[in-house]
Amino acid sequence: MWRRLALLSLASCVAARFGGTPPSSSAMEEARPPNLIVVFIDDMGWSDLSCFGNQEASTPAIDSLAAEGRAFEQFYVNSPICSPSRVALTTGQYPQRLGITSYLDHRRSNEARGMRSWLEPATPTLPRALQRVGYRTGHFGKWHMGGQRDVDDAPPITAYGFDTSLTNFEGMGPKLLPLTRRPGDAEPGRIWAGAERLGPGAVWMQRSEITGGFVDAALEFIDEAQAEGRPFYLNLWPDDVHSPYWPPVEDWREGKRGQYLAVLESMDRQLAPLFERVRSDPELCARTLIVLCSDNGPERGAGRSDGLKGYKTHLYEVGIRSPLLVWGPGLMQAHARGTRDADSVLTAIDLVPTVLERGGAEQLPGLDGESGPGTLLGSSPASREMPLFFARPPDRKSFYGFEDLPDLAVRQGRWKLLCDRDGSRPELHDLLVDPGERRNLAGDHPERVAELRSRLLSWAEGL
């Protein structure tokens, strides 16, 4: 049903903009530069969207993006934990190059782990590059790249190329802070109250409604960009579905998984007005690209990534593989709409040069990503050509019941190798036949192990 409704909505969008016929290549050229929306969900499992197989919860608003656009099954983020994953998507670089290797915490904790306490504002970033070519830029939602806990001297979010921002307790500048309520509570509670000092303009609202608060701000931002006649780049990065879970009181459920699913469905409902605003406006529908994924895998006992191994913080597939949805009916090849790509291997750092190319901006120095707009928009089945490297958060050697986790990983083609920093304990997996990483083939393919290990250790030493 959701697919039929979504396709009807797409038909009306295309008809309104193109007189009932699919957009031609010349129409797509006229639509440049496109508007860009990046929805970066927090701690969601690979199979938690109903369009990726979830039978326990329904996510119709997000599913409509898949029905009208493209779904990718072999997409990777560049860290299994939040802060470095966000750095990668912002810069197009491996976050280890930039001194952020795990989640940002209190200043002393950051120093003890050999980390910076914020992303250096002089770092070349995607929003700044787009801002320079005329884009209006806005960040709405979780930041977590500096300014949290006792780190109150980090740069504001606007220092990284954003014209405006609204965040949570993990960023500098105006923010929405969470009121909490359980069934039977007479008064709401407050968490992260100390974050008020991290920038003027703090507003308190129910934690279960904060994604909607970010969406409301994003809708105002879109209206302003349209009034100015400017293309826009918009980050919508919800706190959801990260723990602790505070679903609406009327949808309170039992158990960690139940609470998680309630928050997931609530988030989907709150994102719906953003998607509908773009879909219902012929100009926006023809000129906007929406990209949606998760920053890393889920906690144990909350989200799920059926058939895959591990959890958040692990270099096994659950930690780093994310669903990816790409929507843009006015920009996408007509034959690609409503399709799934189970073969192309892409990563978050590849999104940065791809977006810059589509936006007409200069490529950033130091990029580790590869541009691939044809893959996203359906004109090419190409995968990333270079190997894809990963490093485990240094403070997560043993976590979620796994002892002595691998330190490093590399994916190239169908093969994935995991090992420690000295190259010991290699695990080799053929992900095309064993995506669950259940059978270690290192003993069967010593030459392939040697090749991949050499590349991986060279990359790690270069950092």
Side-chain angles (χ1 to χ4, degrees), residues 276-445:
E276 185 55 31
R277 171 72 176 87
V278 176
R279 182 183 287 115
S280 63
D281 183 316
E283 179 186 3
L284 291 178
C285 184
R287 297 178 57 239
T288 302
L289 189 70
I290 301 176
V291 176
L292 181 146
C293 60
S294 179
D295 67 338
N296 48 247
E299 293 185 14
R300 182 169 63 175
R304 291 181 181 169
S305 299
D306 292 340
L308 304 180
K309 180 179 180 179
Y311 299 104
K312 172 184 177 178
T313 76
H314 297 176
L315 297 185
Y316 295 118
E317 290 292 282
V318 170
I320 53 178
R321 191 188 290 209
S322 165
L324 173 68
L325 305 182
V326 178
W327 180 96
L331 304 169
M332 190 170 286
Q333 295 291 316
H335 66 82
R337 299 174 195 145
T339 63
R340 299 180 76 87
D341 186 324
D343 302 317
S344 299
V345 178
L346 304 172
T347 177
I349 54 174
D350 297 332
L351 295 178
V352 174
T354 300
V355 166
L356 290 172
E357 181 176 333
R358 291 296 296 180
E362 292 186 6
Q363 294 294 343
L364 301 177
L367 282 174
D368 292 306
E370 298 178 8
S371 182
T375 307
L376 288 188
L377 301 178
S379 62
S380 168
S383 291
R384 176 182 172 86
E385 294 184 1
M386 294 295 291
L388 177 57
F389 301 108
F390 303 92
R392 177 185 50 75
D395 49 343
R396 292 293 187 267
K397 183 64 171 172
S398 299
F399 207 63
Y400 285 138
F402 282 65
E403 300 295 328
D404 203 14
L405 288 159
D407 298 332
L408 303 169
V410 56
R411 168 99 195 249
Q412 185 170 32
R414 66 191 297 161
W415 297 99
K416 180 179 176 184
L417 178 80
L418 303 100
C419 66
D420 284 338
R421 286 192 174 273
D422 61 1
S424 63
R425 301 192 304 132
E427 297 181 34
L428 181 68
H429 301 286
D430 181 348
L431 295 183
L432 291 192
V433 299
D434 180 26
E437 299 170 285
R438 291 175 175 82
R439 184 183 176 197
N440 183 0
L441 301 176
D444 299 333
H445 301 276

Side-chain angles (χ1 to χ4, degrees), residues 264-284:
L264 178 70
E265 291 189 331
S266 176
M267 176 191 68
D268 183 75
R269 291 192 296 270
Q270 292 173 74
L271 289 173
L274 174 63
F275 303 152
E276 185 55 31
R277 171 72 176 87
V278 176
R279 182 183 287 115
S280 63
D281 183 316
E283 179 186 3
L284 291 178

Side-chain angles (χ1 to χ4, degrees), residues 75-192:
F75 173 78
Y76 291 87
V77 289
N78 297 100
S79 175
I81 201 165
C82 45
S83 296
S85 182
R86 293 163 191 275
V87 166
L89 186 57
T90 302
T91 66
Q93 296 188 51
Y94 287 115
Q96 293 81 10
R97 299 193 193 281
L98 303 169
I100 298 180
T101 56
S102 188
Y103 77 100
L104 290 174
D105 195 5
H106 294 84
R107 191 183 308 272
R108 180 176 295 180
S109 172
N110 297 335
E111 292 173 354
R113 293 174 293 159
M115 290 173 50
R116 295 176 176 173
S117 281
W118 57 77
L119 177 65
E120 282 296 321
T123 304
T125 66
L126 170 60
R128 186 181 292 121
L130 293 173
Q131 190 182 54
R132 286 173 177 163
V133 294
Y135 273 75
R136 204 171 199 278
T137 56
H139 178 90
F140 305 95
K142 181 174 179 176
W143 178 249
H144 212 175
M145 290 185 280
Q148 68 286 318
R149 284 79 172 183
D150 64 344
V151 180
D152 55 8
D153 55 343
I157 294 172
T158 51
Y160 297 89
F162 290 102
D163 296 318
T164 188
S165 73
L166 181 67
T167 188
N168 66 353
F169 62 91
E170 291 169 316
M172 303 295 290
K175 52 182 51 62
L176 302 179
L177 295 177
L179 298 172
T180 60
R181 187 186 292 273
R182 300 177 185 273
D185 286 351
E187 297 291 335
R190 288 191 176 195
I191 53 178
W192 303 111

Side-chain angles (χ1 to χ4, degrees), residues 18-36:
F18 301 102
T21 60
S24 65
S25 59
S26 61
M28 286 188 283
E29 289 297 321
E30 293 171 3
R32 289 187 175 184
N35 306 308
L36 302 155

